[in-house]
Amino acid sequence: MKRKSRVTIRRRRRRDMCKSHEPMPYIPFDLVIEILTRLPAKSLMRFKSVSKLWSSLICSRTFTNRLLRVPSFIQRLYVTLTFLDNSQRKSKLLSSSSSPGSDISTMSSFVVDRDLTTPSMKGYYLSHVLRGLMCFVKEPSVKIYNTTTRQLVVLPDIEESNIIAEDHKNKKIMYRIGHDPVGDQYKVVCIVARSNDEFGELRRYLSEHWVFILGGDKSSGWRKIPCRSPHLPITQILSINGRMHYLAWVQKFDPMLVTFDFSSEEISILQAHEDIRWFKSNPIEYYGKVALLNLSDLKRECTMNLWVMEDVEKNMWSEKTLAVHPSQMDIVKSTSLRVAGTTRNNEVILVPHNIRYTLTGEVIVEPQNTTLLYIFLYDLQKNLMRKVEIKEPPYHTKFWDVVGLDDVENFMYL
Amino acid sequence: MSSKMIVLMSSDGQSFEVEEAVAIQSQTIAHMVEDDCVADGIPLANVESKILVKVIEYCKKYHVDEANPISEEDLNKWDEKFMDLEQSTIFELILAANYLNIKSLFDLTCQTVADMIKGKTPEEIRSTFNIENDFTPEEEEAVRKENQWAFE
């Protein structure tokens, strides 16, 4: 008897939905907005074609700010893979989600459920993802991709840059997306730098810092940020709490910690502790603080080195050497790993990486396990690593990599 | 223990006697009770009896206490059955929940309508909400193309 009524309910609902394109009782627009805030991204993007009012609403900052789901419970791991299709090499950008119901500390696998590949990403390096926005780089050009709305914008060239225009072999260009929490603006920072070709005491660096505001008036373009100490970035960039941090050389080879504040747009430079080894140092977030995790000794000695900036005012650092648990030594000895950020749960994301760079700039490509995709999450306090699989549809993968982990659905119109 | 009753009057003249504790789930009614203007019953000019019946049914179910203990899981199941209504009735319920300021009912009805419309085409949406298409064919095509993936 019960089963029958359940079936009846389902059938009535389907009938209801099919025939109900008839006009409904009038709902004032502010209540329609309430309904729209509960729709998934795909529906919202489709409904932009309903009318001009709906289109401008769905793109408006006030509306998209209401939809900002931070953090959602679903973690998304963005993966690129290159495979052969009829002897033709093709690349894909895939989005995989953690199992619903599992929280960040218990998630054990990611399942690929979205294919975000667009032709406009061909030839571009997928640098990083932050708050739903992804950065594609093909020096010197950069594109920003919204992973929720799938909108792609090409940023204008930085025409006024002197360094970009030069044909210098040691020119370095880095882009980073950041969020200014005070003004609620998303900005892209470009750092372009090179050495002055002198050696020893005379060695200096030239650098330029440019900022572009996303979602704003496109004609405003790139703005140059003054920097009293030109420098050369020597590590990846870490974004936390509205600021970005990286190590750089100002003079010779003494590493300095550079901080850029997305709100004030000020650059501050601190001397990094003299014992910090900059090579293979990864800036990470360690329980809200800036830290540097060094993996140089991981494969050989199964240890990692962690420097934490305990006090910014006093420029005080603490140091810790972490020894990998004996039961996990086999893993680190057999696989080259690179750091790809941290989770909200303070676990470090380690990605098997087959391309290594030596101090002399040599590139070593090791064979990569392409049948089983996975990452490791390393809890620095418990000193334990756990494996998280990425379940992907069968491709004859040639190589793969992780772009980053993100848990923000950002509907912002770029 | 005797419970205080108040009278709600629908727009089409029907009266419903409801426990005060149940009725004040509506912030609108709660304010009126505070302001002590409920002696002669509360006229609800914007809510007709057919809808008011459903609202009262909802409020009774959600008046959870020792006499009416119920788990969240059971409430969710009950919500699903409760929302098995004609789409037009659910729209009316959105208006009523908004007017009576009953947040949980408002959330439930909006979410239900969102789920019902999320698969529709723009044409079907226009029909449901009685919206005129003010795009030129070229403009509409441009917007569609920009969001091609959403139509697949």
Side-chain angles (χ1 to χ4, degrees), chain B residues 6 34 55 64 83 91 111 122 134 136 147:
Chain B
I6 54 175
E34 271 169 33
V55 173
V64 180
M83 280 286 118
F91 273 61
Q111 186 64 58
D134 54 352
T136 66
N147 302 286

Side-chain angles (χ1 to χ4, degrees), chain A residues 9 12-13 16 20-21 23-24 27 31 38-39 42-43 46-47 49-52 54 149-150 413, chain B residues 80 84 87 91 107 111 114 117-120 124-128 131 134-135 139 149-152:
Chain A
I9 284 169
R12 263 200 288 165
R13 204 179 255 153
D16 219 293
S20 56
H21 305 318
M24 289 291 117
I27 299 233
L31 296 187
R38 291 163 167 88
L39 285 170
K42 197 170 183 181
S43 309
R46 196 166 60 241
F47 296 167
S49 350
V50 167
S51 74
K52 287 183 180 172
W54 280 46
T149 64
R150 308 205 192 180
Y413 188 68
Chain B
E80 222 184 294
D84 183 35
Q87 196 173 280
F91 273 61
D107 287 341
Q111 186 64 58
I117 66 170
K118 69 184 177 193
K120 293 197 189 218
E124 289 163 352
I125 292 288
R126 286 186 206 119
S127 174
T128 304
I131 298 170
D134 54 352
F135 282 122
E139 286 169 340
W149 72 278
F151 289 86
E152 281 153 22

Side-chain angles (χ1 to χ4, degrees), chain A residues 152-201:
Chain A
L152 184 77
V153 293
V154 182
L155 297 192
D157 292 335
I158 308 176
E159 287 167 5
E160 289 162 24
S161 165
N162 297 319
I163 306 179
I164 292 181
E166 289 170 354
D167 192 18
H168 197 276
K169 63 176 173 16
N170 289 326
K171 187 169 62 177
K172 191 166 198 174
I173 304 178
M174 291 177 92
Y175 290 97
R176 196 74 192 179
I177 304 173
H179 180 241
D180 158 21
V182 175
D184 189 23
Q185 287 186 313
Y186 288 84
K187 300 179 180 176
V188 181
V189 172
C190 175
I191 308 160
V192 53
R194 68 169 178 84
S195 69
N196 69 349
D197 291 335
E198 303 285 347
F199 295 94
E201 292 299 320

Side-chain angles (χ1 to χ4, degrees), chain B residues 50-109:
Chain B
K50 173 180 128 182
I51 302 298
L52 190 52
V53 161
K54 295 303 282 182
V55 173
I56 292 171
E57 187 190 334
Y58 180 88
C59 290
K60 279 188 177 156
K61 191 71 185 179
Y62 269 75
H63 181 58
V64 180
D65 58 14
E66 307 86 57
N68 178 27
I70 189 164
S71 74
E72 199 178 310
E73 205 189 312
D74 289 336
L75 273 177
N76 288 337
K77 285 192 199 146
W78 185 88
D79 283 348
E80 222 184 294
K81 278 198 223 132
F82 178 72
M83 280 286 118
D84 183 35
L85 301 163
E86 298 277 329
Q87 196 173 280
S88 57
T89 310
I90 304 179
F91 273 61
E92 296 280 7
L93 271 173
I94 290 179
L95 294 166
N98 181 55
Y99 172 67
L100 292 169
N101 201 344
I102 307 170
K103 187 175 187 314
S104 59
L105 179 60
F106 185 70
D107 287 341
L108 175 64
T109 47

